[in-house]
Amino acid sequence: MAWFTVDTTYVEDRDKLLEVRPKHRDYLRGLVEKGHVLVAGPWADDHGGFVIYQVDDRAQLDRLLADDPYTTEGISAGRRIDEVKITLGAWLPQ
């Protein structure tokens, strides 16, 4: 398994963001239930958001991002994606 952080910058159209946000959150809830999303949420200034994914590989992450309503409905103005090697945390097997 691989861990990735995804830092998304939103488009400036606040009305569109607020319209699509419920679909995006429902999508992420499904990924939480499947074990692919550890944490997710908007930055305090609400101009972007941050998600930690656990997936098989980068290809799977790319597929999940492609299906995200923030992608399909044009809310993501940009993303920074980094693979991280998680070594500590309550969610890791002991």
Side-chain angles (χ1 to χ4, degrees), residues 15-29 68-70 73 75:
D15 292 335
K16 182 72 173 170
L17 168 66
L18 296 176
E19 175 189 327
V20 177
R21 180 169 273 164
K23 294 182 230 178
H24 166 72
R25 288 186 175 169
D26 286 344
Y27 178 73
L28 290 183
R29 279 186 196 97
D68 186 328
Y70 275 6
E73 300 200 32
I75 299 302

Side-chain angles (χ1 to χ4, degrees), residues 50-70:
F50 185 78
V51 183
I52 299 176
Y53 289 87
Q54 183 182 32
V55 291
D56 292 332
D57 52 31
R58 176 62 190 258
Q60 183 182 25
L61 174 67
D62 289 343
R63 287 190 302 275
L64 295 177
L65 292 175
D67 291 339
D68 186 328
Y70 275 6

Side-chain angles (χ1 to χ4, degrees), residues 4 7-8 10-16 18-19 24 37 41 43 48-49 52 58 64 66 72 80 86 90 94:
F4 290 89
D7 183 355
T8 300
Y10 305 149
V11 295
E12 293 186 26
D13 185 343
R14 298 293 298 167
D15 292 335
K16 182 72 173 170
L18 296 176
E19 175 189 327
H24 166 72
V37 168
W43 292 114
I52 299 176
R58 176 62 190 258
L64 295 177
T72 62
R80 177 185 167 133
I86 303 290
Q94 299 298 327

